[in-house]
Amino acid sequence: MLDAWLRLWNGDFAQAPGIISPGFRVHAALLDGGDGSSIRGVDGLVTWIGQTRAAFRDLRFTVEVPPLVDGRYASVRWTATGTYAGGFPGAKAQPGTVVTFTGTDTLRMRDGKFAEYWVNTDTLSLLTQLQAL
């Protein structure tokens, strides 16, 4: 399932219905100040991933530390690299700037699908690279 999760974040949206619960919930500190509670279910997650990928064309996630699994929970440390497409409020970086940032996903599984998602992203590193600070 974590392989499918990685493929989903790398743009293979067809993975979502097979691994995401209809009641899927996100817990995250979003760049717009939100807490992720508005991102729900398959469609909400796919829309959010699509928006993220639109800001960083060719965005590619790779596993940095192998997954840790404990019962219904799994965590994985990742690195993302992509090319900034422009349009981020306050960013002074030029479109075409390549950015690399890291994060950790923790997922709760229920009935063979992911039901909850906590993400911690190195937002400081990302915003610094976008010259938004």
Side-chain angles (χ1 to χ4, degrees):
M1 286 207 21
L2 287 171
D3 288 339
W5 176 255
L6 188 64
R7 288 192 304 272
L8 172 61
W9 275 94
N10 281 328
D12 183 0
F13 298 144
Q15 297 294 319
I19 64 169
I20 303 301
S21 167
F24 182 82
R25 296 178 47 205
V26 172
H27 307 277
L30 303 178
L31 290 174
D32 67 2
D35 64 3
S37 62
S38 64
I39 303 167
R40 298 278 184 158
V42 173
D43 293 338
L45 179 62
V46 168
T47 297
W48 183 42
I49 293 171
Q51 291 167 344
T52 302
R53 296 189 61 76
F56 303 97
R57 65 179 189 268
D58 70 4
L59 187 62
R60 184 83 181 146
F61 290 83
T62 57
V63 173
E64 184 179 316
V65 176
L68 301 171
V69 179
D70 184 12
R72 299 179 307 152
Y73 294 90
S75 287
V76 64
R77 174 84 173 162
W78 49 260
T79 298
T81 300
T83 306
Y84 176 54
F88 187 86
K92 295 179 185 92
Q94 293 297 310
T97 299
V98 175
V99 298
T100 298
F101 56 100
T102 59
T104 302
D105 291 352
T106 301
L107 298 132
R108 181 177 64 85
M109 295 169 267
R110 186 182 69 221
D111 300 326
K113 294 187 176 187
F114 293 124
E116 269 184 291
Y117 170 43
W118 294 263
V119 60
N120 290 300
T121 302
D122 188 348
T123 306
L124 178 60
S125 174
L126 177 59
L127 294 176
T128 298
Q129 293 171 73
L130 293 177
Q131 300 172 29
L133 294 177

